[in-house]
Amino acid sequence: MNRNALKLSLVVLALCGLAVGGTIYQKTREGNQLWASGKYQDAFSKYTEAASQAKGPSESLLHFNMGDALYKQERYDEATKEFEQAATAPDKKLKEKAFYNTGNCYFRTGIANKDIELLKKSAAGYQKALEIDPNDQDAKHNLEVVRRHIQLQNQNPPPPQCNKPNPQQNQDQKKNQDQKQQQKQQQQQQQQQGQKEKESQKQNQEQQQKQAQAQQGGEKKELSKEEAERILKSLSEQEKEQLKDSLRVQGETSSGGKDW
């Protein structure tokens, strides 16, 4: 857009009716000198100081110059606000220039962000400038350029942008992950502790069983020694009884003679 240039209206010319030594006049003049030397931020500061004391048309003109200084610093969003305030002035020439520069600001941000809505606002700014001054060739040219960009955007819409990660969300996610990791570690530790306790209980039970078996074995051994003689006597007596019974049966059988 080779005609997308600022339209300037240095406010010092409009304040010629003020006293030359006046504070507003002096600060505005200093701001203009700084602007001309490329010190746009310093110029903006001087215009701001002057605007804080100005009223009426003079204040609108100073807002216009503040917008010019911001635009030169590529602070387009802030510049747009200053030009919009300047566009409320009753002076038609100032309004036309303010709308034109508003169109410039929206064009810059619309192209940078590939935002069709901002481009439409840019076209609206140039259109309002042309309504005030239909012979503004720069506004006509820029309006056509913006319309072509809008058409291209409609034909080839930009791909959806991936949502940029939110630092706070990343922190929350990391915090949740850390908490989950800690819970997992705690569960593993509890499981390991429980396993150790089970193994310890099992070992204690086995040891107790061994001790009980050893005691039982010792008792059995002692009893077998004490009762050994009684068991032998009992067995010998049983054998004697069995032997007597056997002889008695044999005697009865032999004394009865043969069955046949």
Side-chain angles (χ1 to χ4, degrees), residues 139-174:
K140 287 182 180 180
H141 174 82
N142 288 354
L143 179 59
E144 292 301 320
V145 172
V146 174
R147 284 174 174 172
R148 285 199 296 271
H149 278 281
I150 292 172
Q151 289 176 354
L152 290 173
Q153 291 281 356
N154 286 328
Q155 293 174 1
N156 302 305
Q161 296 181 352
C162 296
N163 293 329
K164 295 182 178 180
N166 189 326
Q168 184 62 38
Q169 290 180 350
N170 289 340
Q171 291 179 359
D172 293 341
Q173 290 177 356
K174 188 177 184 302

Side-chain angles (χ1 to χ4, degrees), residues 238-254:
Q238 289 178 359
E239 288 176 352
K240 289 178 181 180
E241 292 295 330
Q242 290 177 357
L243 183 59
K244 289 179 179 182
D245 292 338
S246 176
L247 292 173
R248 187 180 300 113
V249 172
Q250 290 178 0
E252 291 177 356
T253 304
S254 59

Side-chain angles (χ1 to χ4, degrees), residues 199-251:
E199 291 177 356
S200 179
Q201 291 176 357
K202 184 177 180 181
Q203 290 176 357
N204 291 335
Q205 290 175 355
E206 290 176 351
Q207 188 175 2
Q208 291 174 358
Q209 288 176 356
K210 288 180 180 178
Q211 291 176 353
Q213 290 175 356
Q215 290 177 356
Q216 291 175 359
E219 291 175 356
K220 287 180 180 180
K221 187 175 182 181
E222 291 177 358
L223 290 172
S224 62
K225 286 180 181 180
E226 292 175 353
E227 295 181 353
E229 293 181 358
R230 285 184 294 175
I231 293 171
L232 289 172
K233 289 180 180 181
S234 175
L235 288 174
S236 60
E237 291 177 355
Q238 289 178 359
E239 288 176 352
K240 289 178 181 180
E241 292 295 330
Q242 290 177 357
L243 183 59
K244 289 179 179 182
D245 292 338
S246 176
L247 292 173
R248 187 180 300 113
V249 172
Q250 290 178 0

Side-chain angles (χ1 to χ4, degrees), residues 188-201:
Q188 290 176 349
Q189 291 176 354
Q190 291 175 354
Q191 290 176 354
Q192 292 175 355
Q193 185 65 27
Q195 187 66 26
K196 288 180 180 179
E197 291 177 356
K198 288 181 180 179
E199 291 177 356
S200 179
Q201 291 176 357

